[in-house]
Amino acid sequence: MLRIGVLVSGGGTNLQAVLDAIKDGTITNAEVSVVISNNKNAYALKRAENNGIDRVCISPKDFESREQFHDAFIKKIDEYQLDLIVLAGFLVAIPEAMIKKYRNRIINVHPSLIPSFCGVGYYGLRVHEAALERGVKITGATVHYVDEGTDTGPIILQKAVEVRKDDSPKELQKRVMEEAEWIILPKAIQMIANGQEEIG
């Protein structure tokens, strides 16, 4: 059984997609052991509670230095003996020591077709605003392994989504979530849990 930790900062819609996929059997041989957020008001923590999953809030704001936060953060992750860490809208930089320790065991879902509209500063609505500003006809989402760069790790899955002429950033964001993120994130976890994708 693959033990998963999901890291989130907000509503947790991708977390919900994973939980739903485990419930309906789309994801097998996996369980979410803990949900960790840097934001005590994140609705994702409520989703964890509703599903009887451990939930933890650990924020850089609660520590005197970034180093202290990193130490506490990694210690908390280690406690759960996780096989896979899923970043699902987690807006805190992952410490390099954690990336080294959990090499090829951390995945992220990003709301564009990497290498487009990714890297430092591209998160949330900003990604979709940039896609619309550039006038692309196709966007989408990517699930990739996390390395020391920003959105630079090896790609696991991508799915394209059509951009419509009258799209607002919010409309595009919603469609990319529904048509791409919520599909490929569970699919990537299923592949990893069942040995169809290398891990570790």
Side-chain angles (χ1 to χ4, degrees), residues 6 30 32 37 47 59 68 84 102 106 123 150 153 165 174 181-182 188 194:
V6 182
V32 175
S37 180
R47 292 181 196 273
S59 169
Q68 284 180 338
L84 183 68
Y102 289 90
I106 308 174
Y123 60 86
T150 305
K165 267 199 176 101
K174 185 171 186 283
E181 293 177 52
W182 298 350
N194 291 279

Side-chain angles (χ1 to χ4, degrees), residues 85-158:
I85 296 162
V86 177
L87 309 185
F90 190 59
L91 301 180
V92 176
I94 298 299
E96 220 166 281
M98 184 169 140
I99 292 168
K100 282 195 174 75
K101 190 169 197 175
Y102 289 90
R103 176 78 62 199
N104 295 332
R105 288 196 284 155
I106 308 174
I107 65 172
N108 179 49
V109 60
H110 182 77
S112 77
L113 295 174
I114 291 174
S116 298
F117 314 114
C118 68
V120 177
Y122 284 99
Y123 60 86
L125 217 51
R126 178 73 200 110
V127 177
H128 306 290
E129 287 166 356
L132 291 172
E133 281 162 19
R134 184 65 188 86
V136 295
K137 308 298 179 199
I138 298 285
T139 186
T142 304
V143 177
H144 65 93
Y145 288 109
V146 173
D147 63 8
E148 284 79 0
T150 305
D151 304 324
T152 54
I155 289 169
I156 303 169
L157 288 172
Q158 290 186 303

